Amino acid sequence: MRVVVTGSSGRLGRSLATGLAAAGHEVVGLDRAPVGLEGVSERTVDLSAPGAAAEALDELRPDALVHLAGIAVPFSAPERDILLTNAALAHDVLAAAASARVGRALAASSPTPIGYSSPAWRAAAVPIDETHPLEPANAYALSKVVIEESVRMFARTAPGAYGFFRPCYVISPEEWAGAPTQQGHTVAERLADPALAAVSLFNYVDARDVAGFVDAWLAAPSDAIDGEGFFVGAADAMTERPVAELWREYAPGLGPAADALTGTAPVFSIAKAHDRLGWAPARDWRTELAATAPATPAPVPSPATTTAASARSIDGRAPDAPRSRRETARSAEGAGASPTATNTTTGTRTA
């Protein structure tokens, strides 16, 4: 299937485009700044320019479109700019897809439209699924509501299948190895301080698993996806302790229903994606941190214990065993750190 991915140079876009290419799709990435993605044909396009989306899709005539491009972080630009840019960009791209008779078009939304960034927010039900009421609390969240409604409009009025998905807090492959996440701190810091992950209700997803979701969406029957939205997240929470033990202190808006989130249970349900598409995430933070952790070096042997000592680890712990909270690095700026601004066509990040 020939698939166009807008915002292919962004944090999510890079993994999504290369993941679809690895799955056998012919992928064309559209972005203002190509980054040399393996297996992806990249085009330099400013989709905010009038007619740019229509021209690109009319030329490429893809079988499917995945729209990620937009201002990707809440409060990273003036509120008016975020709302107008994201809403207009999505409308232009979806309208271009309809005009080019693209068979399937999928747009990235976010979990933020349900409103959990507001101090007064209270969950209607836990776990949170796609039936939860929308209560956007900032322009970024409102722009995603407009995108979702735009998708539904085209699902009603255009041929083909149109849908949206809400990726949770995206972790790209390099971030498991210690690169800063979108909030500026590392995964290790996010786990060490529950207040950091509580900002997004402990949700997260590996960017490569999002590519797997999109591949499943592209293969699904039209009546399972047309006009529909899906949460896309990990099958566990980004926390070392159960959410049931943390919500009262760090996420009181979840309410007593969160007491049921024992073990590794996440706040957001991905049951709809599993039931309709047969999709399930393949990765979690425990396995990914273990896979990227450096091997524990053997101690330097003393002359008296050359052979015996060389096989022992320094402290007896497995290389991937987490250290105590006091030993784990903590973000200097904390949850109040301001995210950096991004270009308007470099892919979608979630908050």
Side-chain angles (χ1 to χ4, degrees), residues 312-324:
R312 293 198 297 267
S313 66
I314 291 176
D315 59 6
R317 285 186 291 200
D320 57 317
R323 296 177 178 272
S324 70

Side-chain angles (χ1 to χ4, degrees), residues 109 158 191 232 256 259 263 272 314 329 340 344:
S109 181
L191 288 167
V232 179
D259 284 336
K272 182 178 178 180
I314 291 176
T340 58
T344 60

Side-chain angles (χ1 to χ4, degrees), residues 127-130 213 229-235 266-281:
I128 295 169
D129 64 17
E130 291 82 359
F213 163 83
F230 298 86
F231 278 116
V232 179
V267 173
F268 290 88
S269 171
I270 54 174
K272 182 178 178 180
H274 179 270
D275 295 344
R276 293 207 182 189
L277 310 181
W279 172 82

Side-chain angles (χ1 to χ4, degrees), residues 121-261:
W121 178 81
R122 295 295 179 267
V126 177
I128 295 169
D129 64 17
E130 291 82 359
T131 66
H132 195 285
L134 302 184
E135 301 174 9
N138 53 60
Y140 175 81
L142 181 58
S143 77
K144 294 300 185 179
V145 174
V146 175
I147 290 171
E148 293 181 5
E149 288 303 316
S150 297
V151 165
R152 293 189 177 103
M153 180 184 74
F154 283 101
R156 292 191 299 269
T157 61
Y162 289 75
F164 65 87
F165 68 109
R166 297 169 176 167
C168 290
Y169 189 94
V170 174
I171 305 293
S172 58
E174 65 271 16
E175 291 165 4
W176 295 120
T181 65
Q182 71 182 52
Q183 282 183 305
H185 51 260
T186 66
V187 172
E189 290 166 340
R190 199 170 180 80
L191 288 167
D193 185 353
L196 299 178
V199 171
S200 55
L201 302 183
F202 309 100
N203 77 58
Y204 78 102
V205 66
D206 188 291
R208 294 163 294 183
D209 281 333
V210 180
F213 163 83
V214 174
D215 186 41
W217 188 90
L218 293 172
S222 293
D223 59 2
I225 60 174
D226 196 22
E228 296 290 336
F230 298 86
F231 278 116
V232 179
D236 66 336
M238 178 64 78
T239 171
E240 295 175 334
R241 294 161 55 195
V243 173
E245 297 178 7
L246 298 172
W247 73 266
R248 285 175 173 82
E249 180 177 358
Y250 297 104
L254 289 174
D259 284 336
L261 299 177

